[in-house]
């Protein structure tokens, strides 16, 4: 038999987690909207997912299409379409992997690095505006909490 005082914190914690999930949903919606807008600025045919793939290539490259698919938990066909579009726009460079010449490794082109630099500056500006009235301590607390949350995914 459970004491009511034992179940109350669990219920409150559950309610808090539901609220956190709702807040994350809003953050993700904001991010998707921004990425879609920035993708259209690069090319009207480029989708937000294409910019996500390109940013992953920039951060993790050289990387294979299979590696991108695994990291983004995305269908290989969708990744292939995005890579084809990025190559058409001259935003990625490819080279054969030394260990298996059949595997293509993707790296961002100089053009992509310039474009992503401009997008990151816009992205940073948008966040600076949203955090304008936050104290340094509040920002550090958010950073530390998000870092802890993200690190727990690897465990």
């Amino acid at each position: 038999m459970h004491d009511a005082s034992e179940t109350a914190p669990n219920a409150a914690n559950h309610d808090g987690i539901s609220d956190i999930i709702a807040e994350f949903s809003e953050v993700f919606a904001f991010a998707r909207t921004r990425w879609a807008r920035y993708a259209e600025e690069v090319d009207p045919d480029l989708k937000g997912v294409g910019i996500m793939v390109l940013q992953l290539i920039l951060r993790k490259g050289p990387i294979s299409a299979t590696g991108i698919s695994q990291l983004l938990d995305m269908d290989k066909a969708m990744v292939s379409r995005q890579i084809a579009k990025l190559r058409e726009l001259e935003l990625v460079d490819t080279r054969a992997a030394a260990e298996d010449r059949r595997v293509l490794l993707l790296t961002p082109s100089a053009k992509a690095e310039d474009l992503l630099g401009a997008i990151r500056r816009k992205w940073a500006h948008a966040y600076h505006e949203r955090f304008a009235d936050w104290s340094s301590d509040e920002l550090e607390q958010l950073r530390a909490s998000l870092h802890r949350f993200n690190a727990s995914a690897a465990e």
Side-chain angles (χ1 to χ4, degrees), residues 20-69:
I20 290 168
I21 291 168
E23 294 297 334
F24 270 124
S25 294
E26 287 190 40
V27 170
F28 297 147
F30 171 77
R32 272 192 310 271
T33 300
R34 289 287 170 138
W35 280 117
R37 187 178 330 145
Y38 297 151
E40 285 179 4
E41 289 177 20
V42 172
D43 185 273
D45 292 334
L46 191 60
K47 304 296 179 216
V49 69
I51 290 291
M52 286 176 24
V53 169
L54 183 57
Q55 183 169 357
L56 183 65
I57 293 168
L58 181 67
R59 283 192 343 259
K60 302 284 186 179
I63 187 170
S64 68
T66 299
I68 293 168
S69 179

Side-chain angles (χ1 to χ4, degrees), residues 58 110-124:
L58 181 67
K111 177 181 175 182
E113 289 181 15
D114 289 344
L115 286 168
L116 284 176
I119 288 171
R120 274 195 303 277
R121 286 188 294 279
K122 288 179 181 181
W123 191 255

